[in-house]
Amino acid sequence: MNINASAVYFLCRCKNPDACPGGGSGVCADRYKSILCGSCSPGWGKSRSFHCRKCGSTAAVIILYILAGLATLVFAKILCYFTLKTAAARSASAANMLPSAGGSTGQSGKQAAVSEVLKPFLLYLQCLWVVATLHGVEWPATLSGPLQALTWFFSASTPQTLGIECVMNTTSKVPIPVQVFLISMFMPVAIMVVLVATEALRAVFRSRRRGAVGGWSAQLAADQHVLIAHSIIVVCIFLPQLMRAAFSIFACVVVDSPVNPPYQVNAVGTFWASDMSQHCWQGYHSVLAFGAGLPMVVLLCAVLPCCMVMFLARNRNVLHTAALRPYAFMYEMYKPSVFYWEAVIVVQLAVVVAIAVFSHSLGTYYGCLLLTAALALNAVLTAWVRPHASTVARHNAVRGSACVFFTSFSALSFLPSGIVSAQIGAGYAVAVGAVIACINLGYVASVMWHILHALDWQWVQRMATSVATKLRAVFKK
């Protein structure tokens, strides 16, 4: 990449081989530019670090972004509904000294079964998303489609997935990478506000329809536990994405070191992976790192799990009471002896996200190997401790962990410069990708089967009839 007067080259390996076709110092493929060809040319947007794709139409990007947010809203609402229903059933069982909802029959037992499937499924989706964002892995066509669908689902808080920078204001004084970071912080907050506002409006309508004593304020106070539960679940859903945004601020790439004459170098120091024209720890990057990055890393990776453990430990004897119901998502699935397990999951997510973010510095092979080892350690720890209170939740957690592990392990076959890709060829990668896709789709199908089997279809029919009646009344007006 860098050349001196005696025509001696000092080479720096490109983070994306497709971006560097060769031909001399600083020569990049059409869609790339800047140091190590790490930035996108006009008309192209980042899909992930050091990878660019052609910008779609502004309308298409915005529509896909909104649809991703709506999909997350629906998933958060469903998860919150069944979590609260399960917590209410178990609180009633504990108060009446009856068997817990997890072992009961009827509607409460079915709702508990849905909740016990959905939460391990969320952790599976989050870990698989981390694997899908590994740097330098060339996923085959048989596997890239499902992984792209997964990254789209989480794209509300990872806007680079859809190339959101293509529709940003390039004339703004705020650099594009900072705008992307701000959007990734804003969207979880926006989704949380929408969910809370929706529940607040429902409380107002219910108070007016029923003529509740105290009006809408009393109804809103009665539904306070729902608002708190929604906020907690949204934070948990977007936790890996928030962690990735925080860690990415510190993802710096070492290019050249200072040399003595007659040698010359073109790019001395470390550069921010999100903006290869920006030196790390200088200019706006230092403000962003110390003003936002460091506080977020400390908050999400240290303060949050510690506060969770302290809060749950202080209230461990009253966890299944109505007063603690809004916080049920943090403890409902686990045995009383391991009430703190959600904090362990937060730490596990922080570790795997950090490995994925810094994989370009570790090297693609070592990053993939380390991530696979971390996922295997998490799976072994879960199987050994057995923190889940129900067999359904435990089995689904084990299946999800196994699927994520096999997917991460298979990524070693899809490295651009690996022995497999060089000697066996693309056919092997396509076949392995198809097998891994079938394994993951099989797990997803089993989750859907559990949910459909556990649903109270008479309740679904009553809800559908109620909604249809209300819609007809609205249209008649």
Side-chain angles (χ1 to χ4, degrees), residues 335 337-338 340-341 344 379-388 394:
K335 299 174 182 177
S337 58
V338 284
Y340 53 83
W341 194 254
V344 176
V380 170
L381 185 62
T382 303
W384 178 50
V385 177
R386 303 180 72 180
H388 299 91
R394 182 167 61 252

Side-chain angles (χ1 to χ4, degrees), residues 154-319:
F154 287 111
S155 63
S157 61
T158 50
Q160 64 270 24
T161 301
L162 297 177
I164 196 70
E165 61 187 43
C166 293
V167 299
M168 289 182 174
N169 184 8
T170 57
T171 62
S172 172
K173 294 182 179 180
V174 180
I176 294 294
V178 178
Q179 294 183 45
V180 173
F181 171 78
L182 293 176
I183 290 179
S184 65
M185 295 295 101
F186 168 77
M187 282 306 297
V189 176
I191 290 176
M192 185 188 303
V193 169
V194 170
L195 277 173
V196 171
T198 302
E199 290 302 318
L201 289 174
R202 287 187 61 204
V204 172
F205 291 143
R206 282 200 302 269
S207 66
R208 290 182 176 179
R209 185 175 65 250
R210 299 173 182 174
V213 178
W216 65 268
S217 58
Q219 185 67 49
L220 192 60
D223 290 346
Q224 184 180 7
H225 67 286
V226 180
L227 307 183
I228 297 174
H230 276 101
S231 301
I232 292 174
I233 287 176
V234 169
V235 171
C236 291
I237 289 176
F238 286 118
L239 192 57
Q241 291 74 33
L242 294 173
M243 289 177 173
R244 183 178 182 85
F247 283 128
S248 296
I249 297 178
F250 302 99
C252 295
V253 180
V254 179
V255 182
D256 290 325
S257 300
V259 295
N260 296 320
Y263 299 102
Q264 297 179 2
V265 290
N266 294 336
V268 177
T270 58
F271 295 81
W272 189 24
S274 297
D275 182 3
M276 288 299 294
S277 63
Q278 173 61 46
H279 278 277
C280 282
W281 320 116
Q282 298 181 22
Y284 76 82
H285 181 263
S286 62
V287 177
L288 187 64
F290 294 107
L294 185 59
M296 282 186 59
V297 170
V298 173
L299 176 64
L300 296 175
C301 303
V303 175
L304 178 60
C306 289
C307 289
M308 291 171 66
V309 172
M310 292 172 60
F311 174 80
L312 294 174
R314 184 179 303 174
N315 298 279
R316 63 180 303 181
N317 295 324
V318 292
L319 289 179

Side-chain angles (χ1 to χ4, degrees), residues 362-400:
L362 298 170
T364 302
Y365 174 76
Y366 291 107
C368 185
L369 200 62
L370 188 58
L371 179 62
T372 303
L375 292 170
L377 180 61
N378 292 346
V380 170
L381 185 62
T382 303
W384 178 50
V385 177
R386 303 180 72 180
H388 299 91
S390 73
T391 304
V392 174
R394 182 167 61 252
H395 287 176
N396 277 278
V398 171
R399 294 189 193 107

Side-chain angles (χ1 to χ4, degrees), residues 53-131:
R53 65 180 175 191
K54 193 171 183 60
C55 290
S57 66
T58 301
V61 172
I62 293 176
I63 289 173
L64 288 173
Y65 198 62
I66 292 175
L67 289 177
L70 291 175
T72 308
L73 276 170
V74 172
F75 184 77
K77 180 63 182 175
I78 293 173
L79 191 56
C80 183
Y81 174 83
F82 285 105
T83 300
L84 288 178
K85 288 294 184 182
T86 302
R90 287 178 175 166
S91 296
S93 298
N96 297 323
M97 301 299 292
L98 296 175
S100 65
S104 64
T105 58
Q107 186 175 354
S108 61
K110 291 183 176 182
Q111 290 169 344
V114 174
S115 179
E116 290 162 358
V117 170
L118 282 177
K119 188 168 183 183
F121 183 61
L122 172 62
L123 182 60
Y124 157 80
L125 291 177
Q126 291 172 326
C127 292
L128 190 62
W129 172 82
V130 174
V131 174

Side-chain angles (χ1 to χ4, degrees), residues 7 9 12 157 216 367 378 431 438-439:
Y9 288 88
C12 297
S157 61
W216 65 268
N378 292 346
C438 289
I439 291 175

Side-chain angles (χ1 to χ4, degrees), residues 412-455:
L412 294 169
S413 300
F414 310 137
L415 305 183
S417 57
I419 297 176
V420 172
S421 60
Q423 296 185 358
I424 299 181
Y428 173 83
V430 170
V432 172
V435 171
I436 297 300
C438 289
I439 291 175
N440 283 277
L441 292 176
Y443 172 69
V444 173
S446 72
V447 170
M448 296 298 105
W449 182 87
H450 273 96
I451 294 174
L452 294 176
H453 180 71
L455 282 177

